Amino acid sequence: MQTQLFIGGEWRDGEAGARIAVTDPATGDHIADVASATPADATAACQAAHVAQIVWAATAPRERAEVLRRVWELMMEHQDELAELIVREQGKPMSDARGEISYAAEFFRWNSEEVARIRGTIATAPSGANRIIVHHPPVGVVVIVTPWNFPAAMITRKLAPALGAGNGVVIKPPTETPLTALRIGELLAEAGVPGGLVNITPTNDASAWFDAAVDHRATRMVSFTGSTAVGQKLLKRSADRVLKTVMELGGNAPFIVFADADIDEAVEGAMVAKMRHSAETCTAANRFFVHADVVAEFTAKLAAAMGDVVVGDGHDDGVQCGPLIHDEAVDKIAGLVDEAVAAGATVAVGGGRLDRPGSFYAPTVLANVAPGSPITREEIFGPVAPIITFTDTDEMIEMANDTEMGLIGYVFTRDLARGLAVSERIQAGMIGVNRGAVSDPAAPFGGMKQSGLGREGSTEGIYEFCETQYIATEY
Ligand code: SIN
């Protein structure tokens, strides 16, 4: 497969000839080198996207839709091969990697269906003097910056609607997982995406690359998924050119279990909400608020389920949780757990690094965690479930909302009226009621507060990549 930059429909080395080393987090082995883009390469990529976008925007929506649908087909035809790349460079178990490819491809199928349905409106002005025509042209060139936890899906969730709406795109995949992105580039070309419309430029120098991409005159939008800290920097830099932005940032999800919940279902939901994709998701349950009447049962059952998780190399049969992305992630989690234990939390299961090569931490459940302690304030991004006991619903909701993050929350109760009422009081863009998985290309993904701006997926996802133009017309 290609390991060069994809610019202007061609594969080429970075201007400075530098390479990025890619490693397998399960073994620490060096598995590939890919080209690294310089600021000049970023400028060339934006220019190529600009030139191609003008033609693409004038292409019939049906034709654009058919190209998107072909990408979906090709990704599914290559599901095993793409999943293998994800396991190699990201480490998640093969079943999760295959799931990620169908999730990622689905953004192309979903948006292929949305392209022909981008609607405008026409109204008569209240004075009766003219018509108000509103329509939605593409924004132009979109800069997309993605994280390593979903090497395919975090690209396609942005790329498919951006292309569907008629934009050109420049992508910076993460240095940890560039291989999946580059392989998707090959499939895009095979599907008939015009040369230059999508440019893929991994880089060792993200900050200089971003400056160059933002400063290109044709760039009109930035779409980013990653931490709130990095998102804030990109927002500030994007403000220099008053760029449109969509930001999908950090989470700190509360997972609430009421006394009337079906505890087995709550544990099952907790395992999905916590452990999906090796617990490295921004949607991961980060703080478990469990009612005092059921906390002993929930803790024991969750600890048993976490203790049974098969941890290992994502290639191995039966593995349910892979390595963390690198040793720094393990160090961060170990620090948070040690700090919580020193402050009085008890370890119900796990609680340490795994003694094997690679970046592994044991699935861990902590009971009696003090509300407000550091582990409840940080996005853990690993297999640790801190449990906080509550008795009063109002107090618990206050604790659940006592964070700058507002991406997602989970509520488990047999009383649906209570589930919905509590959902409405949780300050988060997405809520799972008696469900540990909510992500769906057909639903609006995104956060409140510092968890982000804008929505991805659903019907509104494609409009994020459009402008609104109003034409006052007299006839
Ligand atoms: C993320 O972790 O950023 C996305 C998770 C998802 O799409 O479910």
Side-chain angles (χ1 to χ4, degrees):
M1 64 162 282
Q2 292 288 353
T3 56
Q4 292 171 299
L5 308 178
F6 189 40
I7 298 179
E10 286 173 3
W11 295 94
R12 58 186 230 201
D13 282 330
E15 198 215 17
R19 309 286 290 178
I20 299 166
V22 185
T23 53
D24 178 341
T27 59
D29 291 347
H30 172 228
I31 52 172
D33 283 311
V34 305
S36 174
T38 63
D41 294 317
T43 303
C46 292
Q47 185 58 25
H50 172 51
V51 172
Q53 189 267 332
I54 294 165
V55 180
W56 179 246
T59 305
R62 177 67 72 211
E63 211 176 304
R64 297 204 299 262
E66 277 162 10
V67 172
L68 262 59
R69 194 172 167 91
R70 184 74 191 121
V71 180
W72 166 67
E73 285 167 356
L74 278 174
M75 285 187 73
M76 291 312 293
E77 279 166 30
H78 291 268
Q79 183 176 23
D80 288 344
E81 177 209 336
L82 288 166
E84 167 65 23
L85 274 180
I86 290 182
V87 176
R88 291 297 311 275
E89 63 179 351
Q90 202 275 344
K92 67 179 69 176
M94 185 56 83
S95 55
D96 279 344
R98 285 179 53 81
E100 177 178 345
I101 295 305
S102 28
Y103 179 43
E106 186 58 24
F107 286 103
F108 275 98
R109 180 162 64 167
W110 171 264
N111 282 286
S112 75
E113 291 156 354
E114 291 300 288
V115 173
R117 291 171 182 74
I118 299 175
R119 300 274 185 230
T121 56
I122 178 165
T124 302
S127 66
N130 62 284
R131 300 287 188 274
I132 296 169
I133 298 175
V134 177
H135 75 126
H136 298 286
V139 295
V141 172
V142 181
V143 169
I144 290 178
V145 180
T146 58
W148 46 259
N149 61 339
F150 285 82
M154 293 306 99
I155 291 177
T156 60
R157 186 153 78 188
K158 302 169 186 304
L159 176 61
L163 289 182
N167 298 287
V169 172
V170 179
I171 302 170
K172 187 193 86 57
T175 47
E176 292 87 346
T177 61
L179 298 174
T180 310
L182 295 172
R183 184 69 186 109
I184 288 173
E186 290 180 314
L187 296 181
L188 294 174
E190 199 179 327
V193 172
L197 194 65
V198 178
N199 302 272
I200 307 176
T201 57
T203 180
N204 266 327
D205 190 355
S207 164
W209 178 98
F210 190 70
D211 283 342
V214 160
D215 284 338
H216 192 283
R217 285 191 65 219
T219 298
R220 296 268 45 112
M221 178 168 173
V222 171
S223 179
F224 169 69
T225 294
S227 72
T228 297
V230 174
Q232 285 168 324
K233 287 189 189 146
L234 303 194
L235 275 169
K236 282 181 190 153
R237 188 63 182 83
S238 303
D240 291 340
R241 292 206 54 245
V242 195
L243 299 181
K244 197 165 197 246
T245 56
V246 167
M247 295 275 147
E248 202 266 273
L249 306 177
N252 184 2
F255 186 103
I256 298 161
V257 183
F258 282 101
D260 68 349
D262 178 321
I263 297 303
D264 292 328
E265 276 178 18
V267 169
E268 208 178 297
M271 290 303 291
V272 176
K274 181 75 245 180
M275 295 303 289
R276 186 175 158 258
H277 299 269
S278 305
E280 292 177 310
T281 68
C282 59
T283 51
N286 212 54
R287 297 167 294 153
F288 290 77
F289 294 100
V290 184
H291 193 276
D293 290 353
V294 290
V295 73
E297 182 187 355
F298 179 85
T299 304
K301 288 183 168 171
L302 184 63
M306 289 285 264
D308 283 348
V309 169
V310 181
V311 183
D313 186 322
H315 284 103
D316 295 345
D317 278 350
V319 164
Q320 297 162 306
C321 178
L324 296 172
I325 190 70
H326 39 47
D327 288 345
E328 296 81 69
V330 178
D331 292 345
K332 176 191 147 186
I333 289 166
L336 286 170
V337 170
D338 293 349
E339 200 173 17
V341 170
T346 48
V347 178
V349 72
R353 299 160 201 262
L354 290 184
D355 186 17
R356 52 169 294 162
S359 309
F360 289 92
Y361 196 87
T364 296
V365 176
L366 297 178
N368 305 315
V369 172
S373 58
I375 200 163
T376 69
R377 300 231 163 258
E378 290 265 338
E379 188 172 24
I380 301 169
F381 236 69
V384 179
I387 297 179
I388 299 155
T389 308
F390 79 91
T391 46
D392 181 81
T393 300
D394 289 339
E395 263 174 35
M396 178 274 293
I397 290 175
E398 207 170 300
M399 287 191 281
N401 287 334
D402 182 21
T403 165
E404 279 297 319
M405 302 303 153
L407 186 64
I408 189 166
Y410 303 89
V411 182
F412 278 74
T413 170
R414 283 197 179 93
D415 178 349
L416 188 57
R418 167 155 59 185
L420 294 177
V422 168
S423 296
E424 289 182 5
R425 294 176 64 192
I426 300 295
Q427 296 162 348
M430 302 175 284
I431 307 283
V433 177
N434 295 328
R435 239 190 107 68
V438 302
S439 304
D440 187 331
F445 190 104
M448 297 180 181
K449 296 156 83 176
Q450 290 191 16
S451 285
L453 297 169
R455 291 295 179 268
E456 297 185 319
S458 180
T459 305
E460 52 253 74
I462 202 160
Y463 288 96
E464 297 280 4
F465 292 93
C466 295
E467 280 290 358
T468 294
Q469 187 181 49
Y470 145 57
I471 306 175
T473 315
E474 212 172 313
Y475 54 85

